[in-house]
Amino acid sequence: MNHLIKIYRRALPLSLANMSLAALVFTDMAMLGHHDLSEMAEGSVMMQIYLVVLVLGEGIVFGFSPLYGRHYQNSGSGSIHISVLSAIVWLIGIYAAIGLLVLGQADWAVSGFLEGWLASKSAHSYVILLGVALLPNLLFIVCWELLAFEERETLVLRGALIQFAINIIANYALIFGHFGLPALGLVGAGWATVLSSTLGAVVLGLSCSKYVEGLSQLRHHLLRDARTKTRIGLRILKIGLPAGVTIMLTIGFLSISLMFMAQFGTHAVAAHSAAMQISEVLVLFALGFGDFAAIRFASLGGLNKELARHEVAQILKAALILFVPLVGIALLARPLLALIFFDASNPEFDAVQTLLHAFTFWSLPALIVSLVLMVLQGSLRGVGVTTRPAIVVLLCYWCVAVPTQFIWLRQENSTPISIWYGLILGFVLAALVLGLLWNRFILPKHTATPKV
């Protein structure tokens, strides 16, 4: 019981912080759904493209964690952990600039993929503003990891909640035009994201300056020894890029499902987007336990398979005790979920509610499988094993589930729910394969602290 309490003390703040980050997107879509269904549909498509770019950068940050963790635990390593930190700051700065350029082309890219779909000026401005928010979001994640190593998860939660509160207020003001501000709709949602992301990064940065030892040396490290930073950066990318590709493949898997859903019309896209937002909030609660597993495994010394099995079993047990009842409550609340996203007085409400009710019947129970998958992936990421899990995800999602979805949609009497069947197939298959092969993956070939 004491072991479970220790896990909850550290993992629950991360879970709640993850949920608050998911709620940033949730509030965008919920408020846009009440403002204009077509803007919600456009915003949902653009948000999926942004998430693909964001999570690849997030994966790069995850590559930083194992290196930082090993040197952080080694008292004789001097300030090498700050050298690792300076390398990741440079990497995400370069990546954010590239990401902004890519997102600037998102409107015509989506128009080329979706026949007959033409991005509005508002949608183009929205995705550009999301690109501006990319750098503060990545800095927020770096600060998150630093505070988790210091066992200051409550500060992570505080920063995430402040960011969430700012996002709600800014969305309310800028989408609908309150507090004397103009009603900007979708563009207002983009400005709210920039504002909340920037202030959230500042809050966590100030917390890091107080609790992370050696952080005052960061400015000095940023401007010296480019060769060392390059060498460390390449090591980070070697671990981080496969982790980012894994998340990107997952988000891309969800995004292409949204593209498939577009053939069934605006109602289906709106209901699918709402179901995804509900699922993502719960999934990111589960991801907190995956993040804890990564930090825990990155911090363990003398790791062996017996210890690894014990740790992952304890984390899964703690997570499932909380998560299964949470999913059960969400299932019971299904009749009320449409009211969160859509105006009940809208003539289109009944059609969207029926679809959302059907989607969540299948999507919510599947989240339990997603939790197991995230904890397994987190434990592997903590020891720097990321390439092989990426291959598993690629095969299960893109080589099995997506072709299956495509085949089902080609059937004469295909329905929107068949897209969700394909999503669930991919998640279940990935969890089974990764679970069966986990013992072979868990320990890297060389467990010694790498030289940088």
Side-chain angles (χ1 to χ4, degrees):
M1 187 64 183
N2 287 337
H3 195 70
L4 292 179
I5 291 172
K6 289 179 181 178
I7 292 175
Y8 289 143
R9 181 178 61 82
R10 297 191 61 190
L12 276 178
L14 296 179
S15 294
L16 295 173
N18 270 313
M19 290 180 76
S20 75
L21 292 182
L24 297 178
V25 180
F26 188 98
T27 53
D28 276 13
M29 295 302 109
M31 290 191 187
L32 286 170
H34 283 278
H35 182 261
D36 188 307
L37 270 181
S38 63
E39 283 198 338
M40 179 192 178
E42 279 194 313
S44 180
V45 172
M46 291 303 185
M47 177 60 73
Q48 291 305 311
I49 297 170
Y50 167 70
L51 288 176
V52 170
V53 176
L54 174 65
V55 297
L56 183 57
E58 185 177 352
I60 293 173
V61 176
F62 288 164
F64 146 82
S65 303
L67 286 177
Y68 181 86
R70 292 168 198 170
H71 291 294
Y72 174 82
Q73 292 298 323
N74 183 355
S75 58
S77 64
S79 60
I80 296 178
H81 65 297
I82 302 300
S83 295
V84 176
L85 178 58
S86 68
I88 191 60
V89 170
W90 273 105
L91 278 176
I92 63 173
I94 294 168
Y95 181 82
I98 296 172
L100 178 58
L101 291 175
V102 170
L103 289 170
Q105 311 304 316
D107 56 342
W108 66 262
V110 175
S111 300
F113 187 85
L114 292 179
E115 186 177 350
W117 193 88
L118 184 63
S120 67
K121 273 189 174 182
S122 294
H124 179 64
S125 298
Y126 177 65
V127 78
I128 291 291
L129 288 168
L130 292 179
V132 173
L134 186 59
L135 180 58
N137 274 325
L138 292 176
L139 288 172
F140 186 94
I141 297 167
V142 171
C143 293
W144 174 313
E145 297 278 309
L146 293 174
L147 290 170
F149 276 109
E150 301 292 338
E151 298 191 19
R152 299 285 178 174
E153 290 85 359
T154 53
L155 294 179
V156 174
L157 177 58
R158 185 185 69 177
L161 291 177
I162 290 172
Q163 185 182 56
F164 178 47
I166 293 169
N167 186 259
I168 290 177
I169 296 168
N171 268 324
Y172 179 72
L174 294 170
I175 291 175
F176 299 103
H178 294 291
F179 310 125
L181 296 170
L184 300 177
L186 187 56
V187 177
W191 279 113
T193 300
V194 172
L195 179 63
S196 61
S197 299
T198 301
L199 293 178
V202 169
V203 168
L204 279 201
L206 291 174
S207 297
C208 286
S209 67
K210 185 175 180 181
Y211 292 104
V212 177
E213 185 179 353
L215 192 62
S216 59
Q217 304 172 34
L218 178 59
R219 184 182 300 177
H220 175 67
H221 279 270
L222 282 172
L223 301 175
R224 65 183 291 238
D225 204 350
R227 182 176 298 179
T228 298
K229 277 198 286 292
T230 301
R231 188 163 60 249
I232 297 173
L234 290 174
R235 292 192 66 86
I236 291 173
L237 290 174
K238 184 178 179 181
I239 298 171
L241 279 178
V245 168
T246 301
I247 310 172
M248 190 172 69
L249 289 171
T250 303
I251 297 296
F253 181 41
L254 298 174
S255 297
I256 200 168
S257 297
L258 185 65
M259 305 301 181
F260 285 150
M261 194 66 73
Q263 68 182 277
F264 294 102
T266 300
H267 290 163
V269 171
H272 182 74
S273 176
M276 287 176 66
Q277 297 306 318
I278 294 162
S279 296
E280 284 172 10
V281 169
L282 293 175
V283 159
L284 287 176
F285 177 86
L287 184 58
F289 287 89
D291 288 343
F292 171 73
I295 297 296
R296 177 64 179 162
F297 275 72
S299 302
L300 287 173
L303 184 66
N304 56 55
K305 286 189 177 180
E306 183 179 352
L307 176 60
R309 290 192 196 102
H310 173 76
E311 289 292 336
V312 83
Q314 290 296 318
I315 295 169
L316 279 173
K317 178 181 177 182
L320 289 169
I321 286 172
L322 294 182
F323 194 66
V324 172
L326 191 62
V327 170
I329 292 170
L331 281 168
L332 292 175
R334 282 167 60 232
L336 304 176
L337 295 177
L339 296 173
I340 298 173
F341 289 91
F342 310 109
D343 185 355
S345 63
N346 192 313
E348 300 169 308
F349 177 79
D350 288 341
V352 177
Q353 183 188 42
T354 300
L355 286 169
L356 178 60
H357 198 264
F359 293 162
T360 50
F361 178 80
W362 294 99
S363 63
L364 291 173
L367 298 180
I368 297 171
V369 177
S370 297
L371 179 145
V372 175
L373 184 60
M374 288 176 186
V375 171
L376 293 176
Q377 289 176 327
S379 65
L380 294 171
R381 173 163 60 86
V383 293
V385 177
T386 54
T387 300
R388 286 167 283 176
I391 294 171
V392 169
V393 167
L394 172 65
L395 293 175
C396 294
Y397 291 176
W398 288 91
C399 297
V400 177
V402 170
T404 302
Q405 284 179 316
F406 184 76
I407 292 169
W408 284 340
L409 290 173
R410 299 275 293 185
Q411 302 302 311
E412 185 175 348
N413 297 319
S414 64
T415 61
I417 196 66
S418 60
I419 294 171
W420 277 98
Y421 295 155
L423 288 171
I424 294 167
L425 171 65
F427 296 141
V428 171
L429 190 59
L432 285 174
V433 173
L434 200 60
L436 290 172
L437 297 178
W438 184 81
N439 278 337
R440 296 177 62 85
F441 287 175
I442 189 59
L443 292 180
K445 292 180 180 179
H446 304 288
T447 56
T449 302
K451 294 180 181 180
V452 295

